[in-house]
Amino acid sequence: MRIQLLMAATILIAPAAAVAQDDIPRTASGRPDLSGTYDIATRTPMMRDPKYGDDPYMSAEDAHGIAAATEAGRAQADIPSDPDRKAPPVGGDGHRSNIGGHNPFWFDFGTIPFQIDGKYRNSIITDPPDGRLPPKTDRGRALTPRGLGAYNRNPGGAWWIETGEDLYDEPEVQTLGTRCLYTGGPTVPVRPSAYNNLKTITQTDTHVAIHVEWMHWTRIVRLDSEHAPQEYRSFGGDSVGWWEDDTLVVETTNFLRAPHVPHEGLRVVERFRRIDADTLFYEFTVEDSDYTAPYTGSLPWPRTDKRLYEYACHEGNYSMGNMLRGARLLEKEAREEPRAPRSIVD
């Protein structure tokens, strides 16, 4: 199945590649020059809406409807807030972050789904054929680190005392994202996110560096090399690469699941192919023992003139200290004035 999908992807991009072959920049050694900065923001979702079944495309009408809804949502979000509004209700107002998040100015979901060979794709995932991630294994469900769901619970008070969770004991028990250490989604394999979608590639004859804006993480790909011993691990893994004709193939292993916790059974293979002077075609396949089957996805990387700046997450960041101070205050109130248990909803 995977070979068939790779052939399909090649067929889809082949006409554009053939026409633009003479426009592909190359290094002095003759390899395609992948260097540049790319903006992969898109309204194509990671997983396909079940209404499309096994069809990987959506109509132009659907795509432009998404673009119109995106613009309308942005315009609505930019309306100034009522300065006389009341505080959010206990437990939040239904927003994912309960009391709100970043100003919408900072988000960049893209404007419209991307196109392949003139057709709008309805998912980044291409295999399984339904365009959706395969189910997780029992092991995967048990070992997946605690995510945002636990932090989005806000029934009021120090509810974690009742459940025995350690969510707010110290900085080290926060998620990797909250600690500004690593964000897996935008890094390996590379996928679009809510913001910070710029990627910069720097290439030599022996190494390729892939710098992702969020969390300011640089992957160093050693060309024609061997993987480091398994005891050498990082959140972004260990990447080695090689050329197959004009396609750069990158294999990444040796991942960490959490600090000092190996992620066994995870292997990512990525393929970078330049379509023309302004576009890369990117494909990834993930083999992960947390899932019942491998999965594959792909998307174009359009070149941009935007500049990738440092994601300085913790410089002048008062949130961590204030979050922990707030937790201590709620615990103090709970000890002094015990309250009836509240219903906790993810």
Side-chain angles (χ1 to χ4, degrees):
M1 177 183 297
R2 180 168 168 269
I3 294 176
Q4 293 173 340
L5 284 164
L6 287 176
M7 291 175 62
T10 302
I11 291 169
L12 285 171
I13 65 174
V19 172
Q21 188 68 33
D22 293 340
D23 295 333
I24 293 177
R26 294 183 180 271
T27 64
S29 61
R31 298 295 187 186
D33 188 354
L34 308 180
S35 299
T37 297
Y38 304 89
D39 185 350
I40 66 169
T42 179
R43 292 302 295 179
T44 299
M46 182 70 170
M47 293 198 291
R48 185 179 306 152
D49 188 320
K51 70 181 183 181
Y52 293 109
D54 288 352
D55 184 354
Y57 301 104
M58 67 174 69
S59 67
E61 181 181 6
D62 283 355
H64 288 283
I66 291 172
T70 300
E71 181 58 32
R74 181 176 289 119
Q76 179 65 32
D78 286 340
I79 296 175
S81 301
D82 179 2
D84 298 321
R85 65 191 184 281
K86 297 180 180 179
V90 173
D93 57 6
H95 187 277
R96 173 177 159 140
S97 299
N98 291 306
I99 57 172
H102 294 294
N103 184 294
F105 168 83
W106 299 103
F107 289 98
D108 181 17
F109 293 99
T111 58
I112 194 168
F114 64 76
Q115 295 185 66
I116 297 294
D117 199 26
K119 300 177 182 179
Y120 291 98
R121 276 265 297 277
N122 56 32
S123 67
I124 292 172
I125 296 294
T126 57
D127 184 22
D130 64 359
R132 302 187 66 80
L133 289 172
K136 282 199 170 184
T137 61
D138 291 340
R139 174 181 179 274
R141 288 191 293 271
L143 294 179
T144 298
R146 180 179 55 216
L148 285 173
Y151 292 87
N152 287 339
R153 291 185 279 185
N154 184 19
W159 55 268
W160 53 91
I161 294 178
E162 301 166 10
T163 64
E165 298 183 67
D166 64 350
L167 295 178
Y168 303 105
D169 281 5
E170 56 187 339
E172 286 72 19
V173 300
Q174 308 306 308
T175 65
L176 296 176
T178 300
R179 296 172 65 189
C180 296
L181 295 179
Y182 179 73
T183 300
T187 308
V188 55
V190 179
R191 289 152 287 179
S193 55
Y195 47 25
N196 302 108
N197 281 302
L198 299 189
K199 321 295 172 187
T200 296
I201 295 179
T202 304
Q203 177 181 342
T204 72
D205 287 341
T206 58
H207 293 79
V208 173
I210 306 170
H211 183 65
V212 301
E213 191 171 17
W214 191 19
M215 298 267 180
H216 205 69
W217 187 280
T218 303
R219 295 169 53 201
I220 305 297
V221 180
R222 304 185 307 281
L223 300 183
D224 301 317
S225 180
E226 299 292 330
H227 280 294
Q230 290 190 6
E231 57 267 27
Y232 291 91
R233 294 178 176 269
S234 75
F235 297 123
D238 178 68
S239 296
V240 299
W242 60 92
W243 289 96
E244 293 183 357
D245 296 326
D246 280 350
T247 298
L248 175 66
V249 183
V250 178
E251 179 186 65
T252 305
T253 60
N254 296 23
F255 289 92
L256 283 174
R257 183 185 296 275
H260 314 296
V261 180
H263 191 146
E264 302 289 0
L266 175 58
R267 172 177 174 266
V268 178
V269 176
E270 301 161 285
R271 288 174 168 80
F272 299 80
R273 179 182 177 188
R274 183 171 285 287
I275 300 175
D276 55 39
D278 296 317
T279 315
L280 301 184
F281 186 77
Y282 172 74
E283 182 178 47
F284 61 86
T285 296
V286 178
E287 299 171 359
D288 188 350
S289 56
D290 285 0
Y291 289 86
T292 56
Y295 57 91
T296 294
S298 62
L299 67 153
W301 284 24
R303 181 186 288 273
T304 181
D305 292 329
K306 297 176 184 177
R307 300 293 297 275
L308 194 158
Y309 293 97
E310 180 186 3
Y311 190 92
C313 192
H314 269 317
E315 293 183 10
N317 182 1
Y318 298 93
S319 296
M320 180 67 75
N322 288 340
M323 181 171 63
L324 298 179
R325 278 188 286 271
R328 303 293 81 78
L329 176 62
L330 291 176
E331 290 166 352
K332 180 175 182 294
E333 292 177 349
R335 288 191 296 268
E336 294 175 350
E337 300 180 14
R339 60 183 68 186
R342 297 176 182 269
S343 172
I344 298 174
V345 179
D346 279 327

